[in-house]
Amino acid sequence: MRVVTPTFRHGARMLLTLTASMIVLLLQLHGQSAGVHPEAIRYDEAARIFRIDAADVSYVIGINQNQQLQTLYWGKRLRPGDTLSPAHADGGSSGFDLSVSATPQEFTGWGGGLVVVPNLKITFPDGNRDLVLHYLSHTIRNNTLTISLKDIGRDVVVDLLYQVDEATGVLARSARVENRTQQPFTIEQVLAATWNLDASRDYQLRYLTGRWAGEWNLQQTQLRPGKIVLESRRGSTGVEVNPWFAIERSKQADQDVGDVWFGALGWSGSWQMNLETDWQNRVRITGGYSPFDFAYILSPGKSLETPKFYGGYTNQGIGGASRLLHRFELDSIVPQAPHRRLRPVLYNSWEATGFDVNEAGQEALAEKAASIGVERFVMDDGWFGERKDDHAGLGDWYINPQKFPHGLRPMIDKVHALGMDFGLWVEPEMVNPNSDLYRKHPEWVLNFTGRPRTEGRNQLVLNLAREDVRAYVYGFLDKLLSENDIAFLKWDYNRNWSEPGWPDAPLQEQKEVYVKYVQNLYSILIELRKKHPNVEIESCSGGGARVDLGIMHLTDEIWPSDNTDPFDRLSIQNGFSYAYAPGVMMAWVTDSPNWMNNRSTSLEYRFLSSMQGSLGIGANLNKWTQEDFATAKRLVAEYKDARATIQDGSLYRLISPDGDSAASVTEFVARDGHEAVVFAFLHSSQKGQPYPRLYLHGLQPDAVYTIHAREGKLEDDTVQRASGDYWMHHGVSISLRGDFQAAFLTLERDSSQ
């Protein structure tokens, strides 16, 4: 028996099937996998049971008498001596409920009377659509458990891949479908994995929904018999619902108590999750490529691998689930993990200048940004082609000679002389019909022959599945980065797909556009990162419309919403944090009154709202007073002092802004416990009520911490030094009164401890 511990900490963490050359590039980018711990994956040959143990989680599967791969256990880590009964297929309760649907299988084909959502559905050339998968073999090698299933009659083999992160117990699952027959067949549906939960009548589902400028709304509902479908058919991840879920057994008032199972897809295209609750109140979750308008022709000898479907468990409530997922993302998913660079303080010129950018104006803004401690200056839209507004220029990625007669170099040199690095906005996947590129290559966009080409934001979507389009996009980005000292790209994507046709491809392959587009997007990012390893990238899509563990694996930070109203952002950022780490979330300080709601807030309030993630500034500095600059300089310095704890620490939601709460409080605790950072917000005082007393979390009980009010005021009777137990159980009171008030506290552990 060979036993190897899987790990996501290095280059073998790719999220989907890529070409061999792309995999080589990724391995070079992240380094080779390492680390062998002989107890993470074990196989009991006598019982035919696989057991995966990591962190505080055990995942156990077995091979039953029907040669099906069956889930036996997923939950809190079992003791080494604990044993489970061998897998045994469930009998149906009647002739209507066959065993194939009643048994909690890990991966199913559509066949044998299956009525639940199948993982794999195939149509063969002779019209057969029946697919029954049985256990064939397995290997434990190169940090991966691979279990092979095969159809009972045809040479269709499915390799199920399991990789576990030993620090968090998060498990990544995917499937690779291989055609070993002599003819091509059509994959009509392929979902990466099935997660099975035991019977309970008290499962609570959480998921995230939204719209433009109103993203990241946490929804909660009780699971009852039936099916809930979460999906995007938009060609990208989508803002209406995000590919993340959490299921809690029995609703808990305390965020840090209770059993929670959670999962997220690593895919940036159309996707689907199905949450089925059967007649026995057992829950079955499947997820992967959206089957809508989907068909993938698999030729003999070829294979298709699904995206990764990640899953985790904790008994520390939804708060604990978030912290585990954050730790996994920061240490295993984001580029350069686990030794990633903290996010620099950023200034973006968009709200100051719009499309009206030029060398002199940008340099003047750069001087002002540098004066308050900004570390990265980003020039937004309007620098290229004939880009005077959003009606023209996308696709023509040459530097506008009227705006920048000497190219970008003089401005970049100026930015560097001011002590900042330089970033640039791009939207590589789009084209305006009013552009040289479109006039030359109208066939390069997604389209159906003879049908209208629906515009969104006056633009069309380039068909990145085409190799000539992929080469063009990679080529201009590579040229831009090679010829200019650019440290950062804000990569935007401002519309959904329409008319998703690929008329130049063979008819039977045209629906493969949904997969090949995203594969080529990923491959461009991989190659750019290899050739330009010091360039960082932000994923932006009209706000938070393309946020998932696939794009996060290849980009350094995420833009969660175009809505920068500091009060709205409290709930937007709160929802974002359920699935994604605040350390990758970009948050801007913009002008007041804010354009979204015409709401006026103080500069201090706006800064503190944005300091709960990666701090950015997008205000028009040309309109600031000297007092504004002094305030901003002070707050930027305070943020830098606490940045490591905010971006890399553990998040506790002390008071949620949801449900029209007048208060919102977040706490970040450093990994080593040396510091805690608290942000408190008040919408408005009512009837003279004091601000709620705060009971902190995550401190070392016997350590001594000194409290500091960086912004805002503590109540007069507050002690300055006390134990972690004191701050967690006695609590602390803040003096917040009025409208749109905020406070910023730090607690520092005594250096001797």
Side-chain angles (χ1 to χ4, degrees):
M1 179 176 67
R2 288 166 293 183
V3 185
V4 183
T5 300
T7 175
F8 291 137
R9 298 186 181 277
H10 299 284
R13 302 173 296 164
M14 194 54 213
L15 302 174
L16 74 167
T17 296
L18 301 172
T19 66
S21 61
M22 289 161 60
I23 293 173
V24 169
L25 288 175
L26 188 65
L27 290 170
Q28 293 171 342
L29 180 64
H30 288 281
Q32 297 292 331
S33 59
V36 175
H37 298 265
E39 296 194 1
I41 301 177
R42 290 177 290 166
Y43 178 61
D44 183 333
E45 189 169 0
R48 306 182 82 193
I49 288 176
F50 301 91
R51 175 167 165 172
I52 303 173
D53 294 309
D56 200 30
V57 181
S58 290
Y59 192 87
V60 186
I61 49 185
I63 306 164
N64 66 30
Q65 76 276 22
N66 294 334
Q67 302 303 306
Q68 298 162 336
L69 196 63
Q70 181 175 340
T71 309
L72 297 180
Y73 177 81
W74 182 26
K76 185 172 174 57
R77 185 164 181 161
L78 303 173
R79 298 286 182 177
D82 292 337
T83 59
L84 281 82
S85 300
H88 187 83
D90 292 349
S93 57
S94 73
F96 295 98
D97 303 318
L98 301 180
S99 173
V100 65
S101 297
T103 300
Q105 295 187 60
E106 290 279 287
F107 192 96
T108 58
W110 187 69
L114 187 80
V115 295
V116 296
V117 174
N119 295 88
L120 181 61
K121 185 176 186 295
I122 291 175
T123 293
F124 294 95
D126 61 1
N128 175 66
R129 303 190 306 281
D130 187 68
L131 185 72
V132 177
L133 298 170
H134 283 176
Y135 169 80
L136 177 65
S137 63
H138 74 272
T139 60
I140 302 172
R141 182 185 303 137
N142 295 334
N143 304 321
T144 300
L145 166 64
T146 302
I147 302 176
S148 297
L149 309 178
K150 182 183 175 300
D151 179 62
I152 55 175
R154 303 194 182 219
D155 285 334
V156 178
V157 174
V158 181
D159 291 333
L160 307 183
L161 287 78
Y162 297 77
Q163 296 172 294
V164 68
D165 178 52
E166 57 189 297
T168 62
V170 171
L171 187 66
R173 295 178 55 191
S174 61
R176 183 173 54 241
V177 183
E178 183 179 355
N179 182 0
R180 298 183 184 176
T181 73
Q182 300 303 308
Q183 292 181 286
F185 56 69
T186 302
I187 298 175
E188 297 179 353
Q189 176 169 307
V190 57
L191 302 175
T194 296
W195 304 98
N196 292 293
L197 300 182
D198 288 336
S200 174
R201 295 185 178 182
D202 199 14
Y203 282 129
Q204 305 288 325
L205 169 67
R206 289 183 174 93
Y207 59 102
L208 292 161
T209 64
R211 57 171 174 79
W212 177 79
E215 299 91 338
W216 309 107
N217 302 297
L218 185 68
Q219 308 295 338
Q220 182 166 311
T221 186
Q222 185 170 355
L223 288 177
R224 302 180 184 278
K227 182 171 71 170
I228 294 174
V229 179
L230 309 177
E231 67 176 347
S232 171
R233 300 180 178 185
R234 296 171 176 266
S236 65
T237 313
V239 71
E240 288 69 25
V241 61
N242 190 265
W244 166 89
F245 75 88
I247 296 174
E248 184 173 20
R249 184 165 52 202
S250 75
K251 185 177 180 180
Q252 302 289 335
D254 190 333
Q255 280 220 340
D256 300 321
V257 174
D259 294 313
V260 176
W261 294 262
F262 57 91
L265 272 171
W267 181 243
S268 307
S270 295
W271 60 273
Q272 185 180 92
M273 287 185 189
N274 303 278
L275 298 103
E276 297 175 279
T277 304
D278 69 12
W279 62 94
Q280 300 178 77
N281 291 297
R282 296 183 304 187
V283 176
R284 184 174 183 274
I285 307 111
T286 50
Y289 298 127
S290 171
F292 178 78
D293 196 39
F294 183 91
Y296 197 98
I297 306 300
L298 205 61
S299 299
K302 299 296 184 181
S303 63
L304 173 65
E305 187 166 342
T306 71
K308 290 278 198 280
F309 195 0
Y310 299 90
Y313 163 82
T314 180
N315 66 348
Q316 296 180 22
I318 190 65
S322 296
R323 289 186 290 276
L324 276 179
L325 198 47
H326 297 169
R327 183 63 54 235
F328 173 66
E329 290 162 354
L330 295 178
D331 288 356
S332 301
I333 290 291
V334 299
Q336 302 168 14
H339 305 297
R340 70 186 190 99
R341 178 190 179 192
L342 293 175
R343 302 287 80 226
V345 178
L346 174 153
Y347 178 78
N348 183 286
S349 68
W350 171 250
E351 295 201 7
T353 59
F355 296 101
D356 189 21
V357 299
N358 57 64
E359 186 175 314
Q362 295 295 300
E363 288 184 358
L365 283 170
E367 290 176 355
K368 294 180 174 67
S371 73
I372 59 174
V374 165
E375 298 159 312
R376 170 170 289 163
F377 181 85
V378 181
M379 182 168 65
D380 211 278
D381 201 350
W383 58 270
F384 56 92
E386 296 302 315
R387 188 73 162 170
K388 300 178 178 64
D389 52 36
D390 65 5
H391 289 76
L394 278 179
D396 299 339
W397 295 101
Y398 61 86
I399 298 163
N400 184 291
Q402 286 76 43
K403 297 179 179 183
F404 300 94
H406 307 291
L408 296 180
R409 183 177 300 277
M411 187 178 63
I412 294 175
D413 289 345
K414 172 74 171 181
V415 169
H416 289 166
L418 291 167
M420 301 179 292
D421 64 31
F422 180 77
L424 202 60
W425 179 94
V426 292
E427 193 170 5
E429 300 159 76
M430 302 292 167
V431 64
N432 288 123
N434 184 9
S435 66
D436 294 339
L437 179 67
Y438 186 76
R439 285 184 283 270
K440 184 178 180 181
H441 290 293
E443 76 280 8
W444 277 12
V445 301
L446 295 170
N447 76 95
F448 290 122
T449 302
R451 303 298 296 176
R453 300 185 178 194
T454 304
E455 294 181 25
R457 200 175 180 255
N458 308 302
Q459 61 196 54
L460 299 168
V461 183
L462 291 171
N463 183 0
L464 208 59
R466 294 176 58 122
E467 289 305 314
D468 48 4
V469 174
R470 184 218 179 273
Y472 174 77
V473 171
Y474 174 79
F476 84 72
L477 288 169
D478 177 49
K479 183 175 186 291
L480 185 66
L481 296 175
S482 297
E483 294 178 354
N484 301 279
D485 192 354
I486 296 170
F488 174 82
L489 293 176
K490 182 178 175 69
W491 186 303
D492 217 338
Y493 178 92
N494 276 315
R495 60 157 295 179
N496 297 127
W497 289 17
S498 57
E499 297 87 39
W502 187 1
D504 292 329
L507 180 62
Q508 67 273 21
E509 298 176 11
Q510 290 181 8
K511 291 183 180 180
E512 296 176 15
V513 66
Y514 292 101
V515 174
K516 292 183 176 177
Y517 181 106
V518 181
Q519 287 181 336
N520 275 350
L521 168 66
Y522 287 172
S523 74
I524 289 170
L525 290 166
I526 291 169
E527 288 195 44
L528 284 175
R529 299 196 72 98
K530 179 183 185 304
K531 187 169 181 182
H532 307 280
N534 296 321
V535 174
E536 297 182 336
I537 301 172
E538 175 181 292
S539 175
C540 176
S541 178
R546 187 159 69 185
V547 181
D548 57 79
L549 294 187
I551 204 70
M552 182 183 286
H553 185 58
L554 296 167
T555 57
D556 302 271
E557 65 188 38
I558 288 170
W559 180 246
S561 179
D562 285 346
N563 185 348
T564 58
D565 179 289
F567 176 70
D568 285 358
R569 284 296 289 242
L570 298 180
S571 58
I572 289 171
Q573 293 171 180
N574 177 69
F576 179 93
S577 75
Y578 279 91
Y580 303 103
V584 302
M585 178 187 68
M586 178 49 60
W588 286 2
V589 177
T590 55
D591 289 322
S592 179
N594 186 272
W595 60 271
M596 175 58 64
N597 300 308
N598 201 35
R599 178 182 287 122
S600 295
T601 52
S602 69
L603 188 57
E604 289 87 348
Y605 185 93
R606 284 175 271 153
F607 258 96
L608 267 57
S609 175
S610 296
M611 285 164 61
Q612 296 174 94
S614 300
L615 177 62
I617 299 159
N620 186 351
L621 302 182
N622 295 323
K623 295 182 178 180
W624 274 17
T625 66
Q626 289 303 311
E627 182 181 357
D628 291 334
F629 280 103
T631 298
K633 185 175 183 178
R634 183 186 80 248
L635 290 167
V636 167
E638 289 182 352
Y639 175 77
K640 290 178 180 178
D641 285 344
R643 171 167 47 191
T645 297
I646 296 167
Q647 293 188 17
D648 201 44
S650 297
L651 170 67
Y652 295 87
R653 305 179 191 92
L654 303 188
I655 301 178
S656 170
D658 292 339
D660 297 323
S661 172
S664 173
V665 184
T666 57
E667 178 193 8
F668 300 85
V669 179
R671 290 202 192 197
D672 64 1
H674 83 278
E675 180 182 51
V677 177
V678 179
F679 294 97
F681 300 88
L682 173 66
H683 177 276
S684 56
S685 297
Q686 300 180 44
K687 300 178 182 178
Q689 291 290 329
Y691 195 77
R693 194 170 186 84
L694 305 184
Y695 300 93
L696 306 187
H697 286 58
L699 304 181
Q700 296 175 5
D702 56 351
V704 174
Y705 294 83
T706 301
I707 193 167
H708 303 276
R710 306 295 183 185
E711 299 292 328
K713 184 177 181 296
L714 301 172
E715 292 291 2
D716 292 339
D717 61 352
T718 303
V719 301
Q720 299 301 305
R721 295 178 73 252
S723 69
D725 261 336
Y726 177 93
W727 298 118
M728 291 189 290
H729 300 291
H730 175 275
V732 60
S733 294
I734 306 174
S735 178
L736 281 182
R737 293 174 178 82
D739 298 331
F740 300 111
Q741 300 296 309
F744 166 35
L745 316 176
T746 59
L747 290 92
E748 298 175 7
R749 187 181 63 197
D750 281 7
S751 58
S752 60
Q753 298 176 309

